[in-house]
Amino acid sequence: AAGGPGWRLPGRVLELVFSYLDLRELRSCALVCKLWHHVLHGDENSEVWRSLAARCLAEEALRTDILCNVPTYKGKVRAFHHAFSTNDCSRNVYIKKNGFTLHRNPIAQSTDGARTKIGFSEGRHAWEVWWEGPLGTVAVIGIATKRAAMQCQGYVALLGSDDQSWGWNLVDNNLLHNGEVNGSFPQCNNAPKYQIGERIRVILDMEDKTLAFERGYEFLGVAFRGLPKVCLYPAVSAVYGNTEVTLVYLGKPLDG
């Protein structure tokens, strides 16, 4: 507690102590005083975050290029806590050991989706999504409320099939919401089709109530406006057997 013997320990000692704590405990520690807050958040690659990343992230996630656009260890830990939920997805998919990739089992006549562990009702947020297998006839990325279904019969655009979700079908470049096509995207002549492995950046702005997309470092434009002031979750839906989709939360989008 503030004023106790641990309050004025040297930063290096505090860092060592903090490196044994979990994320919930670290959040509490950051509220104790300015010194503790600075030790925790002054360096996003400190031993605290490096140690926590080593404990909660799979070795594969740290060793491969899954997190190559998340430069700090604090960012990698945050990305893990914003990854696909193992408890909030279709029964026909599972989250791989790396913690970030969804695998859809080869189930006939089923469309299957997944939401992330954490949704957003305020602020600005960015994440990357990419397909690592065939798209099939429908491959949708976007956002959903907690009420949106994550599984249905047939091969359909599940994300965007009702008023609880908004999606971009990468196969035909259609925007989907409330069971209707809201136009094509991006709005340009002969828009290039999605290529397997290409990272799409999704940008959710809960202040402006918009959802936008980037491909590479090209801003494709705002896809949806007038989003409701409810908790919205990054989500995907897929139809192709054994296809895999990876989602990585990046944090606050960089303007420029």
Side-chain angles (χ1 to χ4, degrees), residues 166-180:
W166 296 256
W168 174 24
N169 183 7
L170 300 176
V171 177
D172 60 13
N173 281 344
N174 281 337
L175 293 177
L176 307 157
H177 175 60
N178 212 9
E180 298 173 351

Side-chain angles (χ1 to χ4, degrees), residues 174-223:
N174 281 337
L175 293 177
L176 307 157
H177 175 60
N178 212 9
E180 298 173 351
V181 174
N182 281 27
S184 59
F185 186 84
Q187 290 181 330
C188 60
N189 292 328
N190 302 316
K193 287 296 176 71
Y194 177 81
Q195 303 297 313
I196 295 298
E198 200 171 28
R199 297 188 182 210
I200 298 291
R201 191 163 293 192
V202 190
I203 302 157
L204 175 65
D205 189 330
M206 291 304 291
E207 311 312 311
D208 283 349
K209 302 183 178 66
T210 59
L211 187 72
F213 296 95
E214 287 180 2
R215 177 169 21 216
Y217 289 97
E218 178 192 0
F219 183 69
L220 299 178
V222 172

Side-chain angles (χ1 to χ4, degrees), residues 5-6 10 48 59 85 90 93 111 119 136 145 155 158 166 187-188 195 209 211 213 217 231-232 245 249:
V48 178
E59 189 182 336
S85 170
S90 164
V93 306
T111 301
T145 70
Y155 302 130
L158 179 57
W166 296 256
Q187 290 181 330
C188 60
Q195 303 297 313
K209 302 183 178 66
L211 187 72
F213 296 95
Y217 289 97
C231 193
L232 297 170
V245 190
Y249 180 73

Side-chain angles (χ1 to χ4, degrees), residues 29-82:
C29 289
L31 300 173
V32 170
C33 64
K34 285 182 180 178
L35 171 64
W36 286 27
H37 185 277
H38 178 73
V39 169
L40 281 170
H41 297 295
D43 177 6
E44 295 201 354
N45 277 316
S46 70
E47 186 56 41
V48 178
W49 297 110
R50 196 179 292 260
S51 174
L52 189 55
R55 291 202 305 277
C56 45
L57 272 73
E59 189 182 336
E60 183 191 341
L62 292 170
R63 197 167 27 84
T64 63
D65 67 351
I66 288 174
L67 298 172
C68 67
N69 291 327
V70 185
T72 69
Y73 281 100
K74 181 183 175 183
K76 294 179 202 297
V77 169
R78 182 178 56 202
F80 173 74
H81 284 276
H82 283 83

Side-chain angles (χ1 to χ4, degrees), residues 19-33:
S19 68
Y20 288 94
L21 305 182
D22 65 23
L23 191 62
R24 188 180 290 107
E25 291 165 335
L26 291 176
R27 283 193 183 120
S28 300
C29 289
L31 300 173
V32 170
C33 64

